[in-house]
Amino acid sequence: MSQRTRRMRHGVGMTLGLVALTTLVACTATDPAPTTSSAPASPTPSSAAASEHFLGEWVSPDDAAVTLTLSADGTLVAFDGCNSHSGTWVGPNGGTIGLEFTSSTEAGCPEGVVPWLATSDGAIVDGPEVALTLFGPTDGETGSLVRADD
């Protein structure tokens, strides 16, 4: 057998060996460490009744087009007068819920419409008329909503 033939066989053998090794490693690779879910935690039995206080559709007393709907599964959908939003909510924790808006449309707002809703990151139900007061990252009030008429 010539030296050239030996080199070719050696090269083919090395290539097949690398392919087999790569396949073996790919098939036996361990799963990465589990990650924590960013999905909101389901209300615990002790907080379930308190959570129900927040559930449902809320609307701006100044503009019925501005809405926020909080669902029992921890999701939210909203419309601020020009953009639609979705996300999650958690709580209540001490009477306050956390809001996270994760997606939004980016329509231009008509003159005079201030898209304040998605700047909110929390809310509290208060007052004798049961208003949902929303606040932003600096805990300043961003707006207020009331229960939608059913």
Side-chain angles (χ1 to χ4, degrees):
M1 182 180 321
S2 74
Q3 183 141 358
R4 182 173 181 208
T5 305
R6 273 188 240 139
R7 282 189 204 149
M8 285 178 53
R9 283 186 180 175
H10 180 71
V12 169
M14 290 294 287
T15 301
L16 290 175
L18 285 174
V19 169
L21 180 60
T22 302
T23 303
L24 179 63
V25 169
C27 290
T28 61
T30 59
D31 289 336
T35 57
T36 57
S37 171
S38 61
S42 299
T44 60
S46 61
S47 68
S51 294
E52 289 180 18
H53 194 61
F54 291 92
L55 296 179
E57 186 175 9
W58 299 84
V59 353
S60 169
D62 302 321
D63 182 355
V66 177
T67 62
L68 172 66
T69 303
L70 303 172
S71 299
D73 65 358
T75 59
L76 66 84
V77 292
F79 183 73
D80 64 13
C82 53
N83 287 296
S84 296
H85 308 279
S86 62
T88 58
W89 71 279
V90 295
N93 183 12
T96 302
I97 62 169
L99 305 173
E100 183 177 8
F101 293 89
T102 56
S103 66
S104 300
T105 58
E106 294 182 6
C109 295
E111 189 173 326
V113 175
V114 179
W116 60 269
L117 193 56
T119 64
S120 306
D121 67 0
I124 187 166
V125 174
D126 61 5
E129 297 170 13
V130 188
L132 183 69
T133 302
L134 291 94
F135 51 86
T138 60
D139 292 334
E141 185 176 326
T142 55
S144 186
L145 303 172
V146 295
R147 287 231 178 252
D149 292 332
D150 293 320

